[in-house]
Amino acid sequence: AQTVTQSQPEMSVQEAETVTLSCTYDTSESDYYLFWYKQPPSRQMILVIRQEAYKQQNATENRFSVNFQKAAKSFSLKISDSQLGDAAMYFCAYRFSIPVSMIYNQGGKLIFGQGTELSVKP
Amino acid sequence: DSGVTQTPKHLITATGQRVTLRCSPRSGDLSVYWYQQSLDQGLQFLIQYYNGEERAKGNILERFSAQQFPDLHSELNLSSLELGDSALYFCASSPSDRVPNSPLHFGNGTRLTVT
């Protein structure tokens, strides 16, 4: 079964500095999709960034970028110029490709890791 | 605002009772997903519906059931509630699960407390 592991329960970063959150996943598939979601204290789930496994280029969204290492099954999130508003729980998530989801009745669900709590120090 | 509406925001009930959580997906979204987030836990997938039909099932307890109605809103029914069912229940929606890079858009959740 596909699993997602976030080995850092908590991380801390100084405001304006850069921090990297780790995520590894286990899959035997070659095509899949990866996501990072942010959950601030309001508990709302907010999409941060997404990556298609067939794309070699790492995704970027403003101050957020990923380091996607397919062979290592690693999908880390880098936050540059950290801001106080970045303080939140961050979840890494895996999604099956369409053929696999159809074969194994997985639908479009996301499989989430346990999360990393990021604090930002002023 | 994600466009996904969940009601109620908070629910407090006693053990053994039954509750219904409601979700209205974003306009145009056909897929609805239910997740459970217990205290200090990640999100556990419960069930997905697509255009009224069950599409995928997770570790959903037999005491729990869900459905999606013709107007695409969905309800999650929790019965014979136990203390351990206390959690934040999220609904999410997406246009279709045949567009896998399309993200799930989450509602603000329903906080269920079982006493």
Side-chain angles (χ1 to χ4, degrees):
Chain A
Q2 278 72 5
T3 57
V4 178
T5 302
Q6 294 178 249
S7 59
Q8 307 153 315
E10 298 176 351
M11 290 283 286
S12 179
V13 64
Q14 204 72 32
E15 194 176 6
E17 296 296 310
T18 296
V19 64
T20 299
L21 308 183
S22 300
C23 172
T24 58
Y25 54 93
D26 184 22
T27 185
S28 58
E29 306 301 325
S30 60
D31 193 19
Y32 46 86
Y33 300 81
L34 299 166
F35 301 80
W36 277 97
Y37 277 83
K38 167 185 176 181
Q39 187 179 41
S42 66
R43 306 297 273 181
Q44 186 180 4
M45 292 291 289
I46 303 167
L47 175 70
V48 176
I49 200 165
R50 67 185 112 171
Q51 174 82 41
E52 293 88 347
Y54 62 85
K55 289 186 178 180
Q56 293 187 345
Q57 185 174 6
N58 289 323
T60 62
E61 287 287 344
N62 301 314
R63 297 182 296 107
F64 298 87
S65 62
V66 298
N67 183 6
F68 174 49
Q69 300 289 328
K70 191 171 183 178
K73 298 179 184 176
S74 171
F75 183 59
S76 59
L77 175 68
K78 186 171 83 171
I79 306 174
S80 304
D81 186 25
S82 296
Q83 301 175 0
L84 295 177
D86 294 333
M89 180 75 87
Y90 286 81
F91 291 99
C92 177
Y94 172 101
R95 188 185 223 173
F96 294 92
S97 65
I98 293 174
V100 172
S101 71
M102 293 179 68
I103 292 170
Y104 296 106
N105 296 321
Q106 297 296 327
K109 72 178 185 184
L110 298 181
I111 301 171
F112 286 91
Q114 291 299 96
T116 296
E117 182 80 50
L118 177 67
S119 60
V120 181
K121 298 179 181 178
Chain B
D1 183 10
S2 68
V4 178
T5 303
Q6 288 188 249
T7 57
K9 290 184 179 179
H10 301 279
L11 201 49
I12 301 174
T13 189
T15 55
Q17 295 298 306
R18 172 190 170 94
V19 297
T20 297
L21 282 53
R22 182 188 169 101
C23 170
S24 293
R26 290 191 321 160
S27 177
D29 285 359
L30 299 179
S31 274
V32 170
Y33 307 76
W34 286 98
Y35 282 85
Q36 178 193 56
Q37 185 179 30
S38 301
L39 188 64
D40 296 329
Q41 295 291 312
L43 283 85
Q44 300 299 316
F45 171 71
L46 295 178
I47 198 164
Q48 178 203 349
Y49 281 83
Y50 176 77
N51 203 21
E53 294 192 2
E54 182 182 305
R55 183 79 106 190
K57 209 167 186 177
N59 295 324
I60 187 168
L61 299 172
E62 287 191 9
R63 300 184 286 107
F64 296 2
S65 65
Q67 56 183 327
Q68 185 179 27
F69 295 86
D71 67 352
L72 300 178
H73 91 272
S74 179
E75 293 181 355
L76 179 66
N77 300 297
L78 314 177
S79 62
S80 302
L81 284 167
E82 301 175 358
L83 295 178
D85 297 328
S86 296
L88 186 58
Y89 290 85
F90 281 106
C91 170
S93 73
S94 69
S96 167
D97 55 8
R98 297 297 181 251
V99 183
N101 68 340
S102 175
L104 271 58
H105 297 271
F106 284 80
N108 289 335
T110 292
R111 168 71 68 187
L112 173 66
T113 302
V114 182
T115 62

